[in-house]
Each structure stands twice: as C-alpha cells, then as structure tokens.
C-alpha cells in the first residue's frame, strides 16, 4: 500500500467533536469529551481561544516511541501508521518518556495495563476504509490520502488563501510526520510542540550513543585483556625471580587465587 | 554480647514492620492497582521505582565491577580481602533491581520479553540485556562463597576448579557489561531531549552516568564495610578503605570538572542561578555529590578517621541518589508540569526491598566467608590468598 497521511485543517475545524466520538465508538470507549488525550480519548479537540485543534499521534516518520520500545511493540508501518502490538508490550512506559508530544497514554486504572495511542485506524485503512475520525468529519477539516497528494493539497490550500500561515506543520517537525496541520493562526499560539531538534528525528540522539557500542566493546575488551595479560606476566616474573622457579609451583599458587 | 540483645530485637522489630508494610504495599500494587499504590501519571510515567530502584540500585552496585577489575585485571592484590564483599554487594544490588522491576513493569510476567523480541535501536533494550547478563555474571562470580560450604568435597573441588578456569573471562565480561549499562542508563534520557531540564540534559549523559557510578559504588561499599565492622565480627584493614576513599575523591573531582565543562558547553550555565526549585535541587545534588565530599576527602585527617569517612561516603551516596532522582524526576517534572511526589506504598516497597538486601548481606557475612572474621580460624581450604588483615 502507498504511504498514507492525514491533513488537519485548523481553519476549517469548528470544534464539533465528531472525530472524537467516532474514535471512541471504534474503540468501544465511552463517548465523552475529554480535555486532553487519555487512555480512552485517542484524539481530542482542544480549544485555544477561537480555534480548535485536534490532537492525536502524529505518526512520525522516524518515531521516538518506536525507537525507544525495547521489545519493538511500537512500529512504523510501511503505509504510515505507528502501530502498537499489545502482545509484545511489557509495560515499561519508556515510549511515554520518549514521545516528544506526550501521546502514548497508560491504562493506570487497570491491573494489566496497556499503552493506548492512535494507530491511524491501521486495520480499517488496510481494508480500504478511511480512519474513523476522518470519515466522521462533516467539514473536511480532516482528510486522508496518499502522503504526496495530501502534501500537495496542503500546500495548495495554504498558497491559494493568504489567511493561512505559510507553513505545513509536520513536513520538517521531528523529521517529518504522517499527520499534517495547516492553520490560519500561528502554530506557537496553538500549543504545538517545538521540536527539540528542529527537523532532525529524536532517535538520532540515541543512535549516536548506541552506535559506539561495538567499538567500545572491541577496544575496551582488548584493552582489558591486555591489562590482564600484563598483570599476569608481571606476577609470573616476580614469582620466578623470588623463588628460583619451578613452573609447577607457580601453578599451584595461582590455583589458590580463585 | 548479652548487652547487645535488646538492641538487636529492636532492629528486628523494625525490620519486621518494614516487611509487613511492604507486603501490604505489594498487595495494593498487584491487587488493587496503580492508582492506589503510586502517584504515577501519564506526564510522569517513571517515578521513584525507576528513579531510585533502577537508576540508583544499579549505580550503587558499581563497586563490584570496579574492585573485580582492580584485583583481577590490574593485579591490585591488596584489595582482595574486600573483593568478595563488594561482589556480594553488587549482586544483592542487582537482585534488588530485578525485584523492583516486577513493580515497575505494567506487565511483569513478560519481564523476559526482551530475550525474544529485540529492538536494537532501543537504549532500554541494551540496558535490559546487559543487566540480565551481568546479574548472571555476578551470581557466578559470587557462587564459590556458597559452593565452598558444600559438604561434598568432590563436587566442591570440581566446581571450584572449573570456576577458576572461567573466572577471568567472567570478570572481563562483567567489567565490559557493567561499563556499558552504567552509561546506557544515562543514555535512556538522550531521546527525551526537550523533556529534560537543561541543567541535566547533555549529549554526554552516558559519560556522566559512567563517571559518577564508580565513585558512588565505592562509597556504597565503604558504607557497607564500615557497618559490617561496627556490627559484625569481622575485620578489615583500614588502610584499604583509606586508599579507596582517596581514589574515590579523585574520581568525584574528575566528575565535577566534566560536569562543569559540560554545563558550559550546553549553554546551561545561565540556569545555575535562576529562581526555580530545580536550581535548588541541582545545588543540593552538586554539594552532596561533589563539593562537600571532595573538600572532605582532600584532608587526610578525614580519610583516616573511620567515622568521618563513613559520613563522607554516606554524603556521596545521598548526592548520587539526588543526581539520579533529579535526572529522572525533577528534570522531567520541570518541563511536563507533572509535579510528582511518591505515594507511601512506593516508598514502603522500595524500603522493604532495600531492607531485604541489607538483611541478606548481613546473613551472608555472618555465615559465609565473605570478610576475614575476628577470631583466628583453623585454616580454610580456599581463600588462602586472603591474608588475614591486620586491624
Ligand atoms: S507522536 Fe509520539 S507516539 Fe506518535 S509516532 Fe511520534 S513519537 Fe510515536
Ligand atoms: S510500554 Fe510497551 S510499547 Fe511502550 S516502550 Fe514499553 S514495551 Fe514498548
């Protein structure tokens, strides 16, 4: 399947919360508006002054959450969504530490809690359907399509209407995402996260540290072995010098040192 | 000895209470739920258990690999009398961490998942593999102390002979493994740039964690040994501790210098005096971990007074804890506004696990040949190299 993406047009959104309800319906959550993302609200419409901003997982191209997850429960699928495999998850919550948007939420009220986050309705999309939230939007404030087409659409809306901020949020941010936003109000005023690294994806930070591992192991390992060899040799020489040595004796003394 | 009895029962009573409260807290965690037992939230998903249980637990267990490396790889034989104690301390530290992990994980029965589901891009994956491997290495390194108590001579000899053959490889693997995960623990927070307050974020978090773990491990070791000498029938040549403390002081100084350069290079110096609670926590950490102990340890009078040295080391241990808690809690709270403070069951469980480790350490020192005992003993058939130390 080709790469999909969602476009959220903040100018068009009137805050009707249809997307929220559709999402909750699909997941079998109670249908109620919540102020912030939670384990039963994977997308929420936040109000900033006159404006409504639909929050959800951005489905980063190089997701911090997926790079953090030690068992690979979070994965970037080839067609866009960042999905969660509940069977692998062990509940360490490192994904929550890693995500710059604080998207993954935890079922704190359950005894066997799982991580909850939007998966862009990956299953529905694989079956040729639209994500529930997009389908529910009465005003086309959310649209889905091939990533390229969606980007073209985003830019053409921005260029043809001068009231838009000349920017598509998600092109560069966090190394690119699969959810784009366009807006007629500056993104900074709408509570959008400023990426700590600009357009560089966060996983590059840990990759840099992990990349050194093999070198450290090889160099460190051989240095330690060399140290041991020198130590051992010095001891042998010392022994040989002090007792006019029979090799057997050396061995015996060594054996005691366990 | 009779005079000591009431004191002992008091301590036993306290221990029993700690275990009972801990058991109730465990009940809350496993049968009632997270909200009854923790103050964790989506904004602060790692609290005391990760910050103290894992980060401090692993860090304070660094003494074992330091000493094993010094004795076996560098041939510093004079440290051998305390080698077993330090390995035991590390082993118990890691066992504590593994127990604590059962509370930390949402789905603890899947603790083995990293063995089959690999994600090599994850720092936490590397940490978990290293910790698993190193805990096994420590168990093997420690095993002779138990095996030599076996009544069957043939089995004993066989095991000890075999053990001796692989020992160096074990020590080597151990030093590498622990160096790696001590630094990776800092590496965990690399990806959370933007969520970690600038006083603690650094691209060299890995180096910082490594540099602070070794002196903190030594401090913990000295604290434990001092308590052993005070309360148990063992003796330790004091000059060893003095020497270790000198090394520790130098390491802490080096760490302090690195830390200062690092703050300057990260343009974080401006945060040193801002009026925020984080600033206070930062200075508390630096005072306890670097400034006070370095100043004290530079004086030979302090190093040569057991009691003073003990308190200095306790300061280092506290400063180290402050550092790890600051990185994992203060620094994240500052940016997410989580305002986390642990709920009592979090504290109670932590305390119970640490107490269990302390009790195990005590029992091992009493019943096994961990440290040279006071009364002259008939010749033992192992450890003939551990010359009885002069008091
Ligand atoms: S926004 Fe967060 S949860 Fe979503 S893909 Fe990016 S890192 Fe993962
Ligand atoms: S909580 Fe689950 S999904 Fe998140 S990092 Fe841990 S194992 Fe992966």
């Amino acid at each position: 399947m080709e790469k999909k993406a969602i476009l959220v047009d903040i100018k068009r959104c009137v805050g009707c919360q249809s997307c929220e309800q559709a999402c909750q319906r699909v997941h079998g959550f109670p249908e109620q508006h919540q102020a912030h993302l939670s384990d039963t609200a994977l997308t929420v419409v936040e109000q900033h002054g006159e404006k409504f901003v639909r929050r959800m997982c951005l489905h980063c191209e190089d997701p911090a959450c997926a790079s953090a997850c030690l068992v690979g429960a979070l994965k970037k699928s080839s067609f866009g969504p960042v999905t969660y495999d509940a069977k692998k998850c062990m509940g360490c919550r490192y994904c929550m530490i890693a995500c710059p948007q604080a998207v993954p939420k935890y079922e704190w009220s359950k005894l066997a809690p799982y991580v909850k986050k939007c998966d862009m309705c990956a299953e529905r999309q694989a079956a040729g359907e639209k994500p529930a939230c997009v389908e529910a939007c009465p005003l086309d404030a959310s649209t889905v399509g091939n990533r390229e087409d969606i980007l073209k659409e985003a830019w053409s809306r921005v260029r043809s209407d001068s009231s838009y901020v000349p920017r598509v949020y998600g092109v560069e941010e966090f190394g690119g995402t699969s959810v784009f936003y366009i807006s007629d109000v500056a993104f900074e005023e709408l509570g959008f996260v400023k990426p700590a690294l600009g357009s560089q994806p966060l996983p590059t930070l840990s990759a840099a540290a992990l990349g050194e591992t093999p070198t450290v192991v090889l160099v460190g390992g051989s240095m330690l072995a060399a140290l041991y060899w020198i130590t051992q040799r010095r001891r042998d020489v010392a022994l040989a010098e002090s007792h006019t040595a029979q090799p057997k004796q050396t061995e015996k003394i060594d054996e005691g040192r366990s | 000895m009779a005079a000591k009895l009431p004191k002992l029962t008091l301590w036993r009573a306290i221990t029993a209470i700690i275990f009972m409260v801990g058991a109730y807290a465990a009940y809350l965690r496993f049968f009632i739920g997270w909200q009854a037992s923790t103050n964790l939230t989506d904004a602060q998903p790692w609290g005391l258990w990760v910050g103290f249980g894992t980060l401090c637990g692993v860090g304070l267990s660094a003494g074992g690999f330091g000493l094993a490396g010094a004795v076996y790889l560098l041939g510093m034989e004079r440290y051998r009398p305390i080698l077993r104690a330090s390995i035991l301390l590390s082993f118990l530290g890691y066992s504590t961490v593994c127990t604590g992990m059962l509370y930390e994980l949402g789905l603890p029965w899947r603790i083995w998942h990293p063995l089959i589901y690999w994600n090599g891009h994850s720092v936490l994956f590397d940490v978990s593999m290293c910790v698993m491997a190193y805990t096994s290495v420590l168990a093997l390194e420690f095993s002779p102390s138990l095996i030599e108590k076996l009544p069957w001579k043939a089995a004993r000899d066989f095991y000890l002979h075999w053990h001796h053959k692989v020992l160096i490889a074990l020590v080597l693997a151990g030093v590498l493994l622990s160096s790696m995960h001590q630094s990776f623990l800092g590496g965990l927070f690399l990806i959370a740039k933007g969520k970690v307050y600038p006083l603690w974020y650094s691209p060299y978090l890995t180096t910082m964690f490594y540099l602070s773990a070794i002196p903190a491990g030594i401090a913990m070791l000295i604290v434990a040994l001092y308590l052993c000498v005070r309360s148990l029938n063992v003796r330790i040549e004091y000059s060893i501790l003095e020497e270790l403390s000198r090394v520790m002081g130098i390491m802490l100084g080096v760490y302090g210098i690195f830390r200062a350069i690092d703050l300057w290079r990260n343009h974080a110096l401006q945060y040193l005096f801002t009026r925020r609670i984080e600033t206070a926590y930062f200075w508390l950490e630096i005072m306890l971990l670097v400034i006070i102990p370095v100043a004290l340890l530079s004086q030979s009078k302090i190093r040569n007074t057991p009691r003073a040295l003990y308190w200095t080391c306790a300061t280092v241990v506290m400063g180290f804890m402050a550092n790890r808690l600051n990185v994992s809690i203060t620094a994240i709270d500052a940016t997410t506004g989580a305002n986390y403070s642990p709920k009592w069951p979090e504290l109670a469980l932590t305390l119970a696990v640490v107490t269990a480790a302390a009790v195990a350490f005590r029992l091992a020192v009493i019943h096994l040949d961990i440290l040279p005992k006071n009364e002259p003993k008939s010749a033992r058939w192992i450890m003939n190299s551990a010359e009885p130390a002069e008091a």
Side-chain angles (χ1 to χ4, degrees):
Chain A
M1 205 185 331
E2 271 184 77
K3 225 173 202 179
K4 302 284 188 176
I6 290 180
L7 172 63
V8 180
D9 189 331
I10 295 171
K11 192 181 172 197
R12 289 191 189 178
C13 178
V14 294
C16 72
Q17 301 169 1
S18 311
C19 49
E20 272 185 27
Q21 287 152 11
C23 178
Q24 287 171 330
R25 217 173 302 132
V26 172
H27 289 95
F29 297 145
E31 280 176 49
Q32 49 173 256
H33 172 67
Q34 294 178 23
H36 301 287
L37 293 183
S38 79
D39 60 333
T40 55
L42 310 186
T43 180
V44 294
V45 179
E46 281 178 12
Q47 192 167 3
H48 290 265
E50 304 269 276
K51 289 283 139 194
F52 300 97
V53 181
R54 179 153 84 88
R55 295 255 172 250
M56 59 193 286
C57 170
L58 294 189
H59 301 278
C60 311
E61 293 282 281
D62 188 355
C65 60
S67 127
C69 178
L70 75 171
V71 291
L74 292 159
K75 273 226 164 67
K76 175 85 180 169
S77 346
S78 55
F79 69 107
V82 175
T83 57
Y84 169 69
D85 184 350
K87 284 201 298 295
K88 290 184 179 171
C89 177
M90 52 197 288
C92 68
R93 309 184 293 285
Y94 187 30
C95 50
M96 304 174 70
I97 297 278
C99 171
Q101 310 266 350
V103 166
K105 300 293 171 197
Y106 207 53
E107 297 181 310
W108 296 108
S109 57
K110 306 233 165 115
L111 278 179
Y114 290 96
V115 170
K116 291 283 164 185
K117 77 177 246 333
C118 157
D119 67 350
M120 221 180 176
C121 287
E123 270 177 38
R124 288 172 58 105
Q125 289 211 64
E129 283 176 272
K130 287 181 181 178
C133 54
V134 175
E135 197 178 69
C137 183
L139 291 166
D140 263 350
S142 293
T143 30
V144 69
N146 291 334
R147 193 168 189 269
E148 310 254 296
D149 300 343
I150 280 291
L151 254 180
K152 258 186 226 148
E153 167 74 18
W155 282 119
S156 83
R157 278 193 219 173
V158 165
R159 292 212 177 97
S160 61
D161 182 344
S162 61
S163 65
Y164 279 106
V165 177
R167 173 177 172 197
V168 178
Y169 187 93
V171 174
E172 296 221 304
E173 284 74 14
F174 314 105
T177 63
S178 296
V179 174
F180 300 112
Y181 287 88
I182 52 176
S183 164
D184 52 348
V185 171
F187 289 100
E188 288 70 30
E189 287 167 38
L190 298 176
F192 276 79
V193 174
K194 193 165 176 283
L197 296 184
S199 61
Q200 204 188 338
L202 284 165
T204 49
L205 290 172
S206 26
L210 287 180
E212 289 159 13
T213 315
T215 332
V216 171
V217 170
L218 275 178
V219 175
S222 19
M223 266 169 46
L224 290 175
L227 274 179
Y228 171 65
W229 185 79
I230 295 171
T231 310
Q232 200 58 22
R233 170 117 190 104
R234 251 201 231 143
R235 185 194 285 163
D236 288 350
V237 170
L239 270 174
E241 276 170 3
S242 58
H243 328 278
T244 33
Q246 282 131 1
K248 263 203 178 138
Q249 200 177 353
T250 321
E251 230 164 65
K252 219 188 244 158
I253 286 167
D254 258 354
E255 202 127 344
R257 301 181 180 276
S258 53
Chain B
M1 273 291 116
K4 262 197 173 168
L5 260 171
K7 199 175 158 201
L8 264 176
T9 31
L10 175 68
W11 282 111
R12 283 199 186 139
I14 293 176
T15 314
I17 292 173
I18 290 178
F19 284 149
M20 259 146 44
V21 177
Y24 181 63
Y27 162 78
L28 287 180
R29 156 70 184 86
F30 289 114
F31 295 95
I32 307 300
W34 291 90
Q35 277 146 347
S37 55
T38 73
N39 278 339
L40 297 177
T41 55
D42 288 323
Q44 182 52 274
W46 283 2
L48 185 76
W49 287 339
V50 172
F52 183 86
T54 307
L55 297 188
C56 294
V58 171
L60 292 175
S61 307
F65 95 85
L67 274 233
V71 172
Y72 288 112
L73 303 180
L74 303 180
M76 301 184 175
E77 284 296 325
R78 60 189 177 284
Y79 292 147
R80 191 177 283 271
I82 58 166
L83 178 61
R84 280 190 167 192
S86 66
I87 290 188
L88 173 64
L89 193 66
S90 297
F91 176 59
L92 289 174
Y94 276 83
S95 311
T96 309
V97 170
C98 294
T99 316
M101 206 69 83
L102 298 177
Y103 305 122
E104 286 163 26
L105 291 178
L107 308 162
W109 53 91
R110 294 181 176 175
I111 196 163
W112 51 276
H113 268 195
L115 289 174
I116 53 163
Y117 302 120
W118 290 18
N119 176 17
H121 300 292
S122 167
V123 183
L124 189 56
F125 173 75
D126 287 36
V127 170
S128 67
M129 289 307 229
C130 282
V131 168
M132 276 192 237
Y134 188 51
T135 311
S136 323
V137 166
L138 279 171
L140 285 174
E141 278 183 17
F142 176 68
S143 61
S145 320
L146 280 176
I147 299 289
E148 69 192 23
K149 293 281 169 195
L150 278 183
W152 312 290
K153 183 162 184 331
R156 218 163 55 204
D157 289 348
F158 173 78
Y159 186 86
L160 294 178
H161 175 78
W162 169 85
H163 188 265
H164 180 73
K165 295 232 137 115
V166 297
L167 185 64
I168 291 302
L170 279 182
V171 171
L172 237 152
V175 171
L176 270 182
L177 282 169
S178 41
S179 308
M180 273 161 65
H181 68 256
Q182 290 290 358
S183 30
F184 284 156
L185 282 178
L188 285 179
F189 295 91
L190 285 178
I191 202 168
K193 183 169 193 182
K195 278 184 169 181
V196 179
Y197 192 69
L199 278 176
W200 289 283
Y201 190 86
S202 152
Y204 294 100
L205 263 175
T206 43
T207 320
M208 294 302 152
F209 265 53
Y210 185 62
L211 285 179
S212 52
I214 307 176
I218 295 179
M220 187 66 223
L221 181 62
I222 295 181
V223 166
L225 290 178
Y226 176 82
L227 291 177
C228 283
V229 172
R230 287 228 24 195
S231 71
L232 300 171
N233 197 23
V234 296
R235 89 198 129 123
I236 293 158
E237 199 183 334
Y238 187 71
S239 66
I240 295 181
L241 300 192
E242 192 270 340
E243 206 170 311
L244 274 180
S245 72
R246 213 164 45 206
V247 176
M248 178 177 79
I250 296 170
M251 285 177 169
L252 287 176
V254 170
Y255 170 72
I257 293 169
F258 264 81
R259 193 77 192 275
I261 298 177
D262 192 52
L263 283 171
W264 168 65
R265 287 196 30 167
N266 296 328
H267 312 286
L269 293 180
Q270 47 178 316
Y271 297 96
L272 285 182
F273 300 103
T274 35
R275 291 172 64 88
R276 283 184 64 123
I277 185 77
E278 289 78 22
T279 318
Y281 282 131
F282 173 83
W283 283 110
L284 178 74
E285 166 195 329
I286 290 295
M287 289 303 280
L288 291 177
L289 183 55
V290 180
I291 298 178
I292 295 178
V294 169
L296 290 177
L297 290 172
S298 64
Q299 283 165 288
S300 71
K301 208 170 144 233
I302 302 275
R303 291 199 310 270
N304 283 307
T305 318
R307 213 184 157 73
L309 179 61
Y310 166 74
W311 283 108
T312 314
C313 287
T315 313
V316 174
V317 170
M318 282 187 292
F320 178 82
M321 290 176 183
N323 171 259
R324 296 314 196 240
L325 291 174
N326 275 341
V327 172
S328 60
I329 298 174
T330 315
I332 299 222
D333 264 4
T335 52
T336 60
N339 209 359
Y340 165 88
S341 58
K343 218 184 185 104
W344 74 261
E346 291 178 76
L347 288 164
L349 270 174
T350 308
L351 189 63
V353 180
V354 172
T355 311
V359 170
F361 189 78
R362 201 187 144 83
L363 289 177
V365 172
I366 293 175
H367 296 293
L368 303 175
D369 292 329
I370 304 292
L371 287 166
K373 301 265 191 333
N374 254 342
E375 332 95 315
K377 270 201 158 180
S378 50
R380 277 172 273 131
W381 27 261
I382 183 129
M383 283 278 291
N384 46 4
S385 52
E387 288 95 9
E390 250 55 69

